[in-house]
Amino acid sequence: MIDSRALHNLSIPEAASALRRGETTSAALTQATLDRIKETEPTVQAYATVTADRALAAAERADREIAAGRDRGPMHGIPVAVKDNCYTKGILTEVGSQVLEGFAPDFDSTVVQNLYEAGAVLIGKTRCHEWSCGGSEPPTRSPWDPARFPGGSSIGSGVALAARSIYGAIGTDTGGSVRIPSSLNNLVGMKATYGRVSAYGVLPLAWSLDHVGPMTRTVRGNAQMLGAIAGYDPKDANSARVDAPDYTARIEDGARGARIGIDRDYFLYPGVVDSVRAMTENVIGELAEMGAEIIEVRIPELALTSETLKTIRMVESASYHRHQIREKGHLYSPGTRATLEIGQAVLATDYVAALRARERFRSAMKALFKRENLAALISPTIPVSAPLLDDVWKPRQDMENGETPTDGFVRHVYPANLSGQPAISAPGGFTPEGLPIGYQLMGRPFDEATLYRIAYAYEQAQNWHERQPPNGCDRTGPKQ
Amino acid sequence: MPNIKQPSDPKAKAVQLARVAELLQLEIDEEDLEALSEQVHLLDALEESELREYVPVLKMDAAWHD
């Protein structure tokens, strides 16, 4: 049997193998997770709700099924957490908002239902920014450095994974909210193709941009988790009628022959700090050594992706919230309310202009991928490492144009929300201060498997994912 | 109702947005309004020059390489 004190460090594939070899049990994994939550939560505050009793009961059920030979696949018996904007039957779902205080839905979101069917053990709900956008900060703190921004809006999912208080977590991504916390917490985060994972029962931010995705510590674990949650859902009008493959089937095939594009003008613009620039070049160099072909590309249509996405997001968010704000506006924090209300002032014609701009961008991406026969586009996930919490919204001192870290966060991640293409963020290295930084691969629609194959090849060569936060999760906080 | 024309510059767009915000009784910071007007102005200009052949499409295309 594996020492119980080491269980929380296992990745999903390691835990799944240990379960099948009889070296541990789901009950032991679940207890180890609950113990770890007890240890780390006073410092990191990643969870909104922990469902210990339900989890232990589910784990015992999983152990009985596995012992009886009813194996539901790689997520069977694995403790997972979901962002607090996903409906969970009988379990609080408050999305960081006072409006939903005390609300427990009477049905499960499809993503949660799929996790249950895959035999995963739900440990609890992770904190997120208010209504997944937020003008107020949750109390969640980074285990890498509590003075620094741990990402958003899937902040609790990212922090719980980094703190080793969960094996896999669900995030949602309307403008980078799976990939940004993944990059800042040394994780793998997949925003799959639009419609690939059902959004039914997930509180929306902007319907046409919302994606649900897995966050994990390894590429293979991420592929396994996506396999459990992907698939057509008739309850989601935007769900894609495209079969979900086994995302791990060719994961070991390597990066050889993959044509990977890089638009240096856009993705390595002057706002990219030196450590992130060096990391990106290292990843590109490593992939080239593995036999990938690096293709220099130019995509002028990237230029207005931020304005386009923001316009669509503002209007769709305003549409969702306007009646509720009229009745319960006092229950929104002022910043969130302002963010959600402003879209009401946008004219319908401007919204349609943004939709048309999105189609122009998508057409340009489609033409580029086809012309260059690209498997992926590579970039840093975000241009900076984790900023200090106080600096997140302030203009950067090293930039003359008033750009804030938040402006930079969205620059590289918005394009995939806009086009609907899959995009993965994976660990790419560390800054000299020891802060994690990630790289992003954007791929062809419904070809998440290729992104996993490339990212897995890099992960095997580098092992950045094995690095853990420096004493950041115990009761006494980080050592200075 | 104020005379709302399709503006071609961010200042005119800001005036337009401020009028809409006032009509809807929305409290929007001046700074936010400025940023929003610049944002929609850029899309406005793009639409005028380059978006004639594009219609809004929401579904994903699974056959990019077919």
Side-chain angles (χ1 to χ4, degrees), chain A residues 68 84 109 146 185 242 312 364 372 375 415-416 427 438 447 461 463:
Chain A
D84 204 25
S109 51
N185 286 289
V242 179
I312 294 170
E372 301 290 351
D447 191 17
N463 288 335

Side-chain angles (χ1 to χ4, degrees), chain A residues 194 308 310-311 314 344-345 347 350 353 356 358-360 362 366 370 373 419 421 444-446, chain B residues 13 16-17 24 36 39 43 46-47 50-52 54-62 64-66:
Chain A
Y194 184 71
T308 305
K310 280 181 195 165
T311 303
M314 282 177 175
Q344 289 186 48
L347 297 186
D350 291 327
R356 296 175 77 184
R358 166 157 67 185
E359 188 51 26
R360 170 178 173 265
R362 221 157 38 177
K366 179 176 177 177
K370 193 165 188 170
N373 192 25
S419 67
Q421 292 169 259
R444 298 181 295 238
F446 303 103
Chain B
K13 202 75 186 173
Q16 180 192 75
L17 287 171
L24 295 174
L36 178 60
Q39 178 183 315
L43 294 171
L46 184 74
E47 188 178 45
E50 289 187 44
L51 296 182
R52 278 194 198 92
Y54 297 102
V55 297
V57 177
L58 297 179
K59 69 178 171 54
M60 276 311 295
D61 182 355
W64 276 26
H65 275 251
D66 289 355

Side-chain angles (χ1 to χ4, degrees), chain B:
Chain B
M1 182 72 187
N3 178 23
I4 296 174
K5 294 179 194 168
Q6 285 299 315
S8 58
D9 68 88
K11 278 183 189 164
K13 202 75 186 173
V15 171
Q16 180 192 75
L17 287 171
R19 286 177 177 171
V20 175
E22 195 185 338
L23 280 170
L24 295 174
Q25 296 176 309
L26 301 173
E27 284 172 28
I28 302 176
D29 285 350
E30 203 171 309
E31 206 177 295
D32 289 343
L33 204 62
E34 215 171 275
L36 178 60
S37 58
E38 175 65 18
Q39 178 183 315
V40 291
H41 155 68
L42 289 169
L43 294 171
D44 207 18
L46 184 74
E47 188 178 45
E48 219 167 25
S49 60
E50 289 187 44
L51 296 182
R52 278 194 198 92
E53 60 190 276
Y54 297 102
V55 297
V57 177
L58 297 179
K59 69 178 171 54
M60 276 311 295
D61 182 355
W64 276 26
H65 275 251
D66 289 355

